[in-house]
Amino acid sequence: MRLKTLLCLSLVSILPACQMMEPHSEIAEQIDQEHEIAQKIADTCEHAGELANEEYDCEAADDGTIPITHPEEEVEVVIAPEPIPEDVEVLDVWQQVGQNLSFEFEDNQRIASQRNWYLKNPSYMQRVAKRAKPFLYLIVERLKSQDMPMELALLPIVESAFDPFAYSHGRAAGMWQFVPATGKRFGMKQTWWYDGRRDVMASTDGAIAYLKYLNEMFDGNWLHALAAYNSGEGRVMRAIKKNKKAGKSTEYWALDLPKETRAYVPKLLALADILKNADTYAFKWPVIENIKVTEEVDVGSQIDLALAADMAGLTVEELHALNPGYNRWATDPEGPFKLLVPVDKVETFSQAIAATATKERLNWVRHKIKSGDSLLKLAHQYHTTTEIISQVNELKGNVIRAGEYLVIPVALKSLDFYSLSQEQRLADRQSKHKSGTYQVKHTVKSGDTMWDISRKYKVNMRSLAKWNGMAPTDMLRPGKELVVWLKSSKGTKTRADAVMRTLTYTVRGGDSLARIAQKFKVNVSDLVTWNQISTKKYLQPGQKLKIKVDVTRT
C-alpha cells in the first residue's frame, strides 16, 4: 500500500539504464522497517485482544491491511452537476472502468475473502466514491492517455480509500501513498510549502511512471509489479529467486511475501471482479458521472489560498480539499502554481486571476526589526521561512539589525481559516480529547525516539505518532513539541464534560506533592508525570509545577 523504492527516472521517460536498488540501501531498510512495524501491529492484535483494538483496527490487520490515518472531519466540495454531452456513450465513469478491465485471473480463496468484505460493507464504497468524485474522471483520462490498465483506477481504493490526506504508519502520504524518497524521484516536489505526494494529479503522474517501470522490470507481469508497488521490487525479486532455486512456481500466489502484500493484490482483483459483475453480486456500486467536474488552472505566481478561494467562489476548506498538496496558507513561491477548481468556476476564477497583479496576490507587512529578532524568530512569527524573508528582502546573510525594516509576506486571514493546511490539521489532531484522558507536552531532546518517549509515558508508540501527525519511524528534531494523551490515574475520572486547563503553581514553604495533589483534586502520580519529577526529591520553595485541572471541579 505504501512502499515505493528509490528509482532514478523522470516522469517524462523511463530510463532503461536505471539500476535496481541495492538490497542494503537506505530505502530498502526503510521498507523492511515498514513491514516490521506492520507485523508488530498484527502480533499485538493477535495477543492483546480487546486492549489492542482500542489502538488498532485489528480486523483490518488480520486481513493484512495496516490502517492509515484519515482526517477526523472530511470536507465535501459541492460541485454543480453539468449535463453530460449527448456523444458520451457511457454515463458512469466507474462503468467505463469496468468495461475496460483487462487482467485475467482465476478466482481463489484469497480473492473471495477480500470480496466478501467489500460486499458486506457497501457504505465503505459510498465514502470512497464521495472522495473520488472530484478526481476520478481526470485520473481515468491520465491512465487512458498512457495506455495503462483500467484496473489501476481502483488502486487508490486499496491504497488510501481515495483520500489525498491519508497518512500511513510508514510515512507514506497521499492518494497513491508514496514515501518521501520515492515521491521525490518521481517528480513529487516536497517543501515546507508543498508536498506533491498529496497533489492528486502530480502523484497520479508519478504512480503511472512508477507502475510502468515495475511492469517492465517484471517482464509485463502486472501481479508482480503491483506486489512490488506495495512491498518494494527488491523483496519481490528475492521471493521470485527463492522459489526458482527451490523449483517452485514463481507466480504471485506462490511467493513468500509479507502478510500485507499477500492481501494487497487480492483486494484490487476483488474490487475489479465486483465492479465488472456488480449485477451478479447485487452490489450497488456508487455512480460518478462520466464528465470532467474539475480543471487545473495555472495562476502563474504564488497566491494566498484564501484570496484564491474568494476568487473561485469557494471556501478555503473547499479549495484546500481539491488542492491538498499545499501545506500552508499559500502556494509555493517556487511553484507549482496550478490550482484545481470546479469546472463551473474556471471562467470566473481565470478572469479574476488575470485582473490581479502578482504583488497583490499576497498580503504584506512591514516589520521593524527589534533587539532580539532573528530570521528564524520572524519566520515562526509570520508562518513563513527564513529563505523567503531573505529572498524578498535581498539579504546576503542571516544578520539583521535593530531599527531596520523587513517586508514579509503573511496570510491574508487568521490561520484558523486554513483548516486543512498541514499546521492546522496537526493542531486539530493534537487537540483531540477523549473522555478519561488528559494531555501533556513533551519537548524532544537530542537522542529521543518515538520508542523511548512511548516507554517513558507508557503509551502505544503508534498512538503517540498518530496524535502528532507523524509515523513511528519519523526522525525527531530536538526542540520539537509532542503531545501525549494519558489516561487518568486509578481512582481519578475525567468527565466527558470536563474543561481541562493547565495551571502553573509556585511551590511554597511546607508544600508536599500530597498536599498539592489534595488541594487541586489530582493524584500524586499525575503531578509526577506532568512535571517529570521524582518523589524521592523534596520540593523547593519557588519551584514551578504544571497542574492539569478540571476547572468545573476545582
Side-chain angles (χ1 to χ4, degrees):
M1 176 161 55
R2 50 196 64 84
L3 304 168
K4 322 297 186 285
T5 46
L6 292 177
L7 302 173
C8 46
L9 69 153
S10 69
L11 290 173
V12 179
S13 60
I14 306 299
L15 302 180
C18 184
Q19 297 181 353
M20 191 179 76
M21 100 184 149
E22 293 296 321
H24 300 294
S25 68
E26 181 181 349
I27 192 65
E29 292 176 3
Q30 187 177 19
I31 287 171
D32 288 339
Q33 189 177 37
E34 163 83 6
H35 281 287
E36 184 180 341
I37 292 170
Q39 190 57 54
K40 283 182 178 179
I41 292 174
D43 292 343
T44 301
C45 286
E46 183 177 351
H47 296 109
E50 292 183 6
L51 181 62
N53 243 327
E54 293 181 8
E55 304 295 346
Y56 307 112
D57 182 347
C58 289
E59 182 181 352
D62 190 52
D63 286 340
T65 300
I66 306 306
I68 57 178
T69 300
H70 297 285
E72 298 288 339
E73 296 179 8
E74 297 185 42
V75 177
E76 182 180 2
V77 183
V78 178
I79 298 175
E82 293 282 328
I84 299 179
E86 294 181 1
D87 59 344
V88 174
E89 296 180 3
V90 182
L91 302 183
D92 177 11
V93 67
W94 287 122
Q95 187 181 354
Q96 181 183 349
V97 172
Q99 291 178 358
N100 291 278
L101 298 174
S102 58
F103 286 180
E104 294 183 2
F105 58 91
E106 292 185 9
D107 202 0
N108 59 39
Q109 184 54 44
R110 283 161 67 181
I111 297 173
S113 175
Q114 303 300 335
R115 181 174 56 233
N116 289 340
W117 187 91
Y118 289 120
L119 293 175
K120 290 177 182 178
N121 294 274
S123 61
Y124 175 81
M125 280 307 303
Q126 295 291 339
R127 293 195 300 274
V128 165
K130 187 180 294 185
R131 294 188 190 118
K133 186 172 182 177
F135 314 114
L136 185 61
Y137 179 90
L138 298 178
I139 291 172
V140 170
E141 289 299 301
R142 284 282 213 278
L143 292 171
K144 285 164 60 179
S145 69
Q146 295 293 317
D147 196 28
M148 298 294 278
M150 278 296 107
E151 280 84 356
L152 301 183
L154 304 171
L155 198 57
I157 302 177
V158 180
E159 287 288 343
S160 65
F162 262 100
D163 182 0
F165 286 107
Y167 189 78
S168 83
H169 64 289
R171 294 204 302 152
M175 189 176 289
W176 295 91
Q177 290 287 282
F178 278 96
V179 294
T182 309
K184 289 177 182 176
R185 277 158 178 75
F186 283 90
M188 280 161 264
K189 182 178 179 180
Q190 294 161 56
T191 68
W192 187 83
W193 294 93
Y194 169 82
D195 189 340
R197 297 176 301 157
R198 292 201 311 271
D199 184 312
V200 175
M201 301 320 299
S203 62
T204 296
D205 288 337
I208 289 172
Y210 186 34
L211 287 161
K212 275 188 175 181
Y213 171 83
L214 291 174
N215 183 249
E216 290 184 11
M217 172 178 282
F218 291 99
D219 301 321
N221 188 315
W222 273 111
L223 300 194
H224 285 167
L226 287 164
Y229 187 87
N230 172 253
S231 191
E233 62 254 42
R235 187 186 291 270
V236 177
M237 281 290 191
R238 290 194 296 272
I240 291 173
K241 288 179 181 178
K242 181 181 177 182
N243 277 23
K244 275 184 179 178
K245 190 174 180 179
K248 297 179 181 179
S249 169
T250 59
E251 66 173 359
Y252 162 78
W253 306 102
L255 299 181
D256 181 16
L257 296 169
K259 188 172 186 178
E260 186 178 352
T261 309
R262 286 176 56 81
Y264 182 83
V265 174
K267 282 181 181 293
L268 183 71
L269 299 180
L271 286 165
D273 183 41
I274 294 171
L275 178 59
K276 190 172 184 177
N277 300 290
D279 290 341
T280 302
Y281 295 116
F283 186 83
K284 191 174 181 180
W285 197 287
V287 173
I288 295 180
E289 291 79 6
N290 192 21
I291 187 171
K292 180 168 65 174
V293 294
T294 54
E295 185 175 322
E296 281 188 315
V297 177
D298 193 333
V299 301
S301 67
Q302 188 181 28
I303 188 169
D304 189 304
L305 294 178
L307 177 61
D310 285 341
M311 291 177 170
L314 300 169
T315 66
V316 178
E317 280 191 334
E318 288 173 333
L319 184 69
H320 224 147
L322 293 176
N323 299 275
Y326 295 109
N327 290 335
R328 310 294 169 181
W329 50 270
T331 59
D332 190 311
E334 303 294 330
F337 305 119
K338 292 180 179 179
L339 288 172
L340 201 65
V341 297
V343 168
D344 64 309
K345 310 283 188 183
V346 168
E347 185 176 355
T348 302
F349 180 62
S350 299
Q351 290 174 353
I353 288 291
T356 307
T358 300
K359 65 180 181 181
E360 296 174 356
R361 296 178 182 183
L362 294 173
N363 195 34
W364 303 85
V365 297
R366 189 166 179 257
H367 177 91
K368 185 175 182 179
I369 302 170
K370 298 183 288 290
S371 177
D373 278 350
S374 67
L375 288 182
L376 185 60
K377 179 182 176 183
L378 295 179
H380 285 308
Q381 180 179 338
Y382 291 109
H383 301 278
T384 185
T385 66
T386 57
E387 291 79 10
I388 294 301
I389 299 175
S390 294
Q391 183 181 347
V392 169
N393 293 277
E394 299 181 349
L395 301 179
K396 294 182 179 180
N398 294 325
V399 178
I400 55 177
R401 293 179 175 83
E404 295 182 350
Y405 288 88
L406 293 174
V407 177
I408 305 174
V410 296
L412 181 66
K413 298 185 178 182
S414 70
L415 292 186
D416 291 346
F417 276 84
Y418 308 86
S419 61
L420 292 183
S421 70
Q422 184 173 316
E423 285 177 310
Q424 294 306 110
R425 284 187 290 113
L426 175 58
D428 181 61
R429 179 166 297 284
Q430 289 183 327
S431 67
K432 293 298 181 186
H433 171 263
K434 293 182 179 179
S435 178
T437 64
Y438 58 86
Q439 182 193 97
V440 297
K441 292 185 178 180
H442 175 89
T443 301
V444 175
K445 302 178 182 66
S446 180
D448 272 354
T449 66
M450 285 284 189
W451 173 258
D452 296 332
I453 298 169
S454 68
R455 294 307 90 199
K456 180 177 183 177
Y457 292 100
K458 298 179 182 177
V459 296
N460 183 281
M461 183 172 69
R462 184 173 181 269
S463 296
L464 175 65
K466 182 178 178 181
W467 296 329
N468 292 281
M470 302 176 71
T473 54
D474 281 357
M475 295 291 292
L476 296 175
R477 298 188 312 276
K480 183 180 179 65
E481 195 170 71
L482 302 179
V483 301
V484 186
W485 284 101
L486 301 175
K487 292 185 177 179
S488 299
S489 299
K490 190 174 182 180
T492 303
K493 280 194 173 182
T494 302
R495 302 177 309 171
D497 61 347
V499 179
M500 304 301 294
R501 294 289 184 268
T502 300
L503 305 179
T504 300
Y505 178 77
T506 302
V507 176
R508 300 168 184 170
D511 271 347
S512 66
L513 288 175
R515 183 173 295 175
I516 297 170
Q518 184 179 25
K519 179 177 181 178
F520 289 97
K521 299 183 176 66
V522 297
N523 279 24
V524 170
S525 58
D526 287 332
L527 285 175
V528 170
T529 300
W530 294 331
N531 295 280
Q532 293 299 295
I533 55 178
S534 171
T535 56
K536 297 179 181 179
K537 292 185 179 180
Y538 290 107
L539 297 177
Q540 301 297 321
Q543 184 177 348
K544 304 292 185 182
L545 295 180
K546 291 181 181 178
I547 306 176
K548 307 279 182 178
V549 299
D550 177 0
V551 296
T552 64
R553 295 179 60 203
T554 303

